Amino acid sequence: MSSAQFQQQTSSLAYFWLNSLESLLNAFIDLDPNTRNQLSQLEGIVVRVKTFAPYQVFYLLFTPQGVEVSPKPQGDVQVRLSGKVRDLVWTLLGLESEQRAESKGHLHLWGDSSLLQQLRHLLQEFNLRSAAAHWIKTHWPINALWQKLTEQDLSWLRDLQPIPALIKQTRAEIAALNTEVQSQKTQLAALEKLLYQQIDHTRTLVTLIKILIVCTVGLIGLSIGIAL
């Protein structure tokens, strides 16, 4: 294989990797309206990301519609982020907090101080992180993911692609189950109300029967008295 062919193949793999990453990031963002709203505050910000194991440099452009991932900057770089791929993925999925990753030296963020605060806030408040972390821990073999990330096996990106859709499906199933449970609670409440009404009617009927018996016994006694 010639040097030109090797570079072309490497470039193709890089574009495939970045396109897959962009698709995955935006799929997660689509699940969280609050995060999408926060992205509007970061509109136009360009973040240079440098990863190790494997080595890769790419750029994130924040837009109101999501995040664009590109091998070249689409504007001036204001923030820089670096770390191992496994640590970046672990943080984005909520399997480790951004503060802890930075404090342990696994992630490095630097640049404009005000923009750093906004970006850190987004990473910390990304509501989907907790949902994704919970779903992955209960539905997916985390050890297998960690091993692939550690071994620089890029198939982890392919493995994660279905997860946003599966989370959406799980949420829909839970919502449908909650609706069914709520419907059953409503039906149960209606049955309980009907039962209490029937009990009240029965009590009333028993009271009337008692009164009728007393009145009947009284009339019989009166009749016997008159007869005597």
Side-chain angles (χ1 to χ4, degrees):
M1 180 183 296
S2 67
S3 176
Q5 289 175 324
F6 177 78
Q7 289 180 355
Q8 183 178 4
Q9 182 177 359
T10 303
S11 178
S12 298
L13 287 173
Y15 272 100
F16 173 78
W17 192 86
L18 295 180
N19 287 335
S20 299
L21 179 62
E22 180 179 290
S23 174
L24 182 63
L25 286 174
N26 287 304
F28 274 113
I29 290 170
D30 285 340
L31 292 174
D32 186 16
N34 291 332
T35 297
R36 183 169 292 283
N37 291 335
Q38 290 184 48
L39 287 178
S40 62
Q41 302 174 18
L42 297 171
E43 182 178 1
I45 292 179
V46 177
V47 178
R48 182 180 186 269
V49 181
K50 180 168 65 174
T51 67
F52 305 97
Y55 178 82
Q56 181 82 31
V57 175
F58 57 91
Y59 300 84
L60 306 178
L61 172 64
F62 289 89
T63 74
Q65 290 73 38
V67 179
E68 294 182 11
V69 183
S70 171
K72 297 180 180 180
Q74 302 183 54
D76 295 333
V77 174
Q78 296 102 331
V79 177
R80 296 172 185 268
L81 169 65
S82 67
K84 291 183 178 180
V85 170
R86 69 183 187 188
D87 297 313
L88 285 169
V89 173
W90 230 239
T91 301
L92 289 173
L93 291 179
L95 298 169
E96 183 174 43
S97 71
E98 181 272 334
Q99 302 100 312
R100 180 174 173 79
E102 275 203 271
S103 66
K104 292 169 64 176
H106 291 171
L107 293 183
H108 301 279
L109 270 168
W110 68 99
D112 182 275
S113 57
S114 61
L115 296 180
L116 281 178
Q117 285 299 107
Q118 288 181 278
L119 188 59
R120 284 194 176 101
H121 180 74
L122 177 64
L123 287 173
Q124 293 164 12
E125 299 299 323
F126 186 14
N127 295 334
L128 220 293
R129 284 158 39 99
S130 58
H134 175 73
W135 192 96
I136 291 172
K137 287 176 181 177
T138 55
H139 293 79
W140 216 74
I142 294 182
N143 291 338
L145 173 60
W146 180 258
Q147 184 174 354
K148 285 189 175 185
L149 289 168
T150 301
E151 294 176 352
Q152 302 181 38
D153 181 349
L154 293 180
S155 65
W156 66 265
L157 193 53
R158 180 196 61 210
D159 294 341
L160 290 181
Q161 291 294 329
I163 287 182
L166 292 173
I167 291 176
K168 185 180 293 185
Q169 179 183 344
T170 302
R171 284 181 166 184
E173 291 173 352
I174 292 174
L177 181 60
N178 288 337
T179 300
E180 179 63 24
V181 169
Q182 188 60 44
S183 175
Q184 291 179 359
K185 285 183 178 180
T186 301
Q187 293 176 13
L188 180 60
L191 288 173
E192 288 180 345
K193 183 178 180 180
L194 180 60
L195 177 61
Y196 287 134
Q197 289 176 345
Q198 291 178 340
I199 291 174
D200 288 339
H201 291 160
T202 301
R203 287 174 177 171
T204 302
L205 182 59
V206 170
T207 301
L208 290 174
I209 292 173
K210 287 181 179 179
I211 294 174
L212 181 60
I213 292 173
V214 170
C215 291
T216 301
V217 171
L219 289 173
I220 294 175
L222 181 61
S223 298
I224 294 174
I226 293 174
L228 294 174

